[in-house]
Amino acid sequence: MKQRFAVLAVAFLFLFALAGISLADGFKVAIITSPNDVHDGGFNEDNYNGVVTFKNETPGAEMSAVQETTGDPAECVKVVENIAADYNALVCVGFQFSGIVEVAEDNPDTKFILVDTWPADESGNDAQAENLYAMKFKEEEGGFLAGIAAALTTKSNKVAVVNGKAFPTNVNYQYGFMSGVNYANKHYGIKAAIVELPSYSGTDVTGKNVGGNYIGSFIDQANGKIVGQALIREGCDVIFVAAGGAGMGVFTAAKEAKGVYVIGCDADQYNDGKNGDSNVIL
């Protein structure tokens, strides 16, 4: 749904040129992901491809991929803190890295790129550091188009969106999708219902119930399959999946059913949708 890697590669080149940094031999950059690694087939891999593009365009640059496995924001900050002095630049991928401002301030010779969130202090207030560049995207726009596509395709008139955790980016996808379905219903004579299962509703970072269908993880494929199967039993035949590695469980549920399609997220997931001679990707 979003081609972050091209944006990220350009951001690298612009940021370092702006800062007057020499991209000489030995320039070291790391991408830090959590809780999935850089080969999750979606969000993390898209960002990883951006760093690879940067490396390929920068002779002599060295790159590393670092995985933080818990997804806990405090642990994510610790990982960044532990390696910050070892690199010229760190790419921190995801909402859970928003609290790295103090680390950036303590390591003025290292450049930080924060993807998909704005930096914040310990109280959650907006913060900034001179050596930290943050970028966000309009997930709701991609979700909106996915909602229209789902509404125009469904034969059962039941569609759904499945997310990982109710981080702001995921909630944006969810609300965008729902808005797209509602738009199609209003303007194209569609009668698609958005299926939300109360047992899988999400709770956002403020404690608010946002509805939807949340796996509760970005890595739990087994539970992703359970959520997918539950929606398919309710009659959903098109499901938008924005759940990282956990979303592969929804893909599996679709492959085991008949006439069910999924819409991927962040990257081209056509290969993930292969199911023998067919494909479940819409």
Side-chain angles (χ1 to χ4, degrees):
M1 298 298 295
K2 294 181 287 185
Q3 294 301 320
R4 283 183 179 85
F5 72 88
V7 176
L8 188 56
V10 171
F12 257 123
L13 295 170
F14 174 77
L15 177 64
F16 297 145
L18 187 66
I21 298 173
S22 174
L23 303 180
D25 287 353
F27 185 87
K28 297 177 66 177
V29 56
I31 177 170
I32 311 174
T33 59
S34 172
N36 289 328
D37 65 13
V38 296
H39 299 297
D40 67 345
F43 174 63
N44 290 338
E45 190 161 341
D46 211 12
N47 284 279
Y48 175 70
N49 288 338
V51 183
V52 171
T53 299
F54 166 77
K55 178 183 180 298
N56 291 341
E57 295 179 357
T58 310
E62 302 174 18
M63 68 171 289
S64 302
V66 179
Q67 181 185 8
E68 192 289 317
T69 58
T70 69
D72 178 75
E75 293 301 317
C76 289
V77 172
K78 287 181 182 178
V79 169
V80 177
E81 185 176 29
N82 289 339
I83 67 172
D86 299 329
Y87 292 89
N88 299 102
L90 295 178
V91 181
C92 305
V93 181
F95 169 81
Q96 54 270 46
F97 290 96
S98 63
I100 64 170
V101 177
E102 188 173 336
V103 178
E105 292 173 339
D106 291 341
N107 295 272
D109 294 330
T110 302
K111 301 299 178 183
F112 298 80
I113 291 183
L114 186 58
V115 184
D116 246 17
T117 186
W118 300 135
D121 61 19
E122 292 181 356
S123 300
N125 300 314
D126 290 344
Q128 58 184 346
E130 290 185 358
N131 55 330
L132 192 158
Y133 176 89
M135 62 176 75
K136 289 186 70 175
F137 302 84
K138 296 181 179 179
E139 293 87 7
E140 65 275 13
E141 293 185 358
F144 182 83
L145 295 176
I148 290 178
L152 291 175
T153 303
T154 179
K155 291 181 171 58
S156 66
N157 283 332
K158 291 185 178 181
V159 300
V161 53
V162 176
N163 297 95
K165 288 187 175 183
F167 290 159
T169 50
N170 259 213
V171 176
N172 288 346
Y173 270 136
Q174 174 199 339
Y175 286 171
F177 176 85
M178 297 167 74
S179 296
V181 175
N182 291 334
Y183 183 92
N185 285 341
K186 179 178 180 179
H187 294 282
Y188 301 137
I190 308 297
K191 295 182 179 180
I194 302 165
V195 177
E196 299 177 87
L197 303 177
S199 56
Y200 297 113
S201 62
T203 301
D204 71 9
V205 294
T206 69
K208 176 184 176 182
N209 186 324
V210 296
N213 304 287
Y214 283 83
I215 297 170
S217 166
F218 290 103
I219 59 176
D220 189 349
Q221 293 191 30
N223 199 40
K225 182 178 179 180
I226 291 171
V227 175
Q229 289 174 326
L231 289 167
I232 291 169
R233 284 196 298 271
E234 289 293 320
C236 295
D237 61 352
V238 183
I239 304 173
F240 175 41
V241 186
M248 293 299 97
V250 183
F251 278 49
T252 300
K255 291 176 183 179
E256 294 178 357
K258 290 185 178 180
V260 176
Y261 288 97
V262 295
I263 300 174
C265 182
D266 291 322
D268 182 355
Q269 294 192 276
Y270 184 79
N271 287 335
D272 296 325
K274 288 182 179 179
N275 190 28
D277 295 333
S278 62
N279 199 302
V280 298
I281 285 286
L282 179 61

